[in-house]
Amino acid sequence: MAMCSCKHAIYVEWKRFVVQPCKEVVFNTNLFAAPGSCPTERTSSEDKGSYFWGVTQPNERAVQPCDKNAEEQATRKCSINIATDKVQWEPPTLKKCKLLGGLPDTIIDFRDVVITQENAPDVAEHILNLSIKMDILSKEEVEVILSKTYEIIQIGDIDESFASNLLSVISDVLDKAEQLRQFTNR
């Protein structure tokens, strides 16, 4: 903290500058200390790949091409923690990046797929695409779809597009399950 004398103090009051006489102004050098930058860091995702994030200024986003689909981008924001006034990396956003491993070609094979926050949107979309192509769903397929849909919902963090895919999956299952009942009642 430094002290200095001045003839006038200038400060902002409700969108206007005010000049008033003063005897002393106190400068707190810590008040305007630069928080620094987010350091270089590597993150790794089993589902979506590894990414190298270079030094980034606060409130800026680092951008990297996705490992599997380079035309899309993975992003990561450097932010300032309000409680500590220190910079920190936010978790990477990998929503536009494709999964490194492929997804099963049949609904039944989804039984062995472990749902994670990173693969949940891709799994929902893939199940929807597979179920749309089918005229009838077997009891086992319906069970797998409902089980995986439940697991996906438990993950949370569902945006509008993701929620739309999940509702479409459920709607398609209900339509196909109705057809299944009609078929078995004959």
Side-chain angles (χ1 to χ4, degrees):
M1 189 181 311
M3 304 281 276
C4 72
S5 297
C6 70
K7 293 183 179 181
H8 295 88
I10 301 173
Y11 61 95
V12 178
E13 179 184 282
W14 193 249
K15 297 184 180 181
R16 65 186 177 108
F17 288 101
V18 177
V19 179
Q20 285 187 333
C22 73
K23 294 182 182 173
E24 292 184 343
V25 175
V26 177
F27 293 101
N28 183 343
T29 55
N30 292 331
L31 222 112
F32 301 106
S37 337
C38 287
T40 298
E41 188 174 282
R42 181 175 296 281
T43 59
S44 185
S45 158
E46 189 174 313
D47 293 323
K48 305 250 178 153
S50 295
Y51 297 90
F52 178 80
W53 309 100
V55 174
T56 303
Q57 296 302 311
N59 296 320
E60 289 186 8
R61 288 190 188 280
V63 177
Q64 293 293 317
C66 293
D67 278 1
K68 182 93 180 209
N69 52 320
E71 69 279 359
E72 294 292 348
Q73 297 177 332
T75 63
R76 192 170 187 203
K77 185 175 181 182
C78 176
S79 62
I80 301 173
N81 183 314
I82 295 172
T84 64
D85 284 335
K86 295 189 182 209
V87 294
Q88 65 184 21
W89 281 112
E90 292 183 9
T93 301
L94 306 173
K95 290 179 181 178
K96 293 183 178 181
C97 298
K98 290 183 180 176
L99 296 173
L100 295 177
L103 291 171
D105 292 329
T106 67
I107 290 173
I108 295 297
D109 291 337
F110 270 92
R111 273 188 254 195
D112 301 326
V113 173
V114 175
I115 304 297
T116 66
Q117 190 161 10
E118 289 179 345
N119 74 5
D122 298 292
V123 169
E125 184 175 358
H126 197 67
I127 288 175
L128 174 61
N129 292 336
L130 289 174
S131 68
I132 285 173
K133 294 176 185 175
M134 301 176 78
D135 294 328
I136 296 175
L137 294 171
S138 70
K139 179 181 177 192
E140 292 82 18
E141 290 168 328
V142 171
E143 287 172 356
V144 169
I145 291 172
L146 294 179
S147 170
K148 292 303 167 183
T149 302
Y150 176 78
E151 289 176 38
I152 290 168
I153 290 169
Q154 295 304 306
I155 297 276
D157 191 25
I158 298 175
D159 64 19
E160 187 177 333
S161 171
F162 188 17
S164 175
N165 277 347
L166 283 176
L167 290 173
S168 295
V169 166
I170 294 168
S171 173
D172 195 53
V173 167
L174 291 174
D175 288 346
K176 306 277 170 82
E178 187 66 37
Q179 290 175 357
L180 180 61
R181 272 188 240 121
Q182 291 172 357
F183 177 79
T184 56
N185 286 338
R186 287 188 189 166

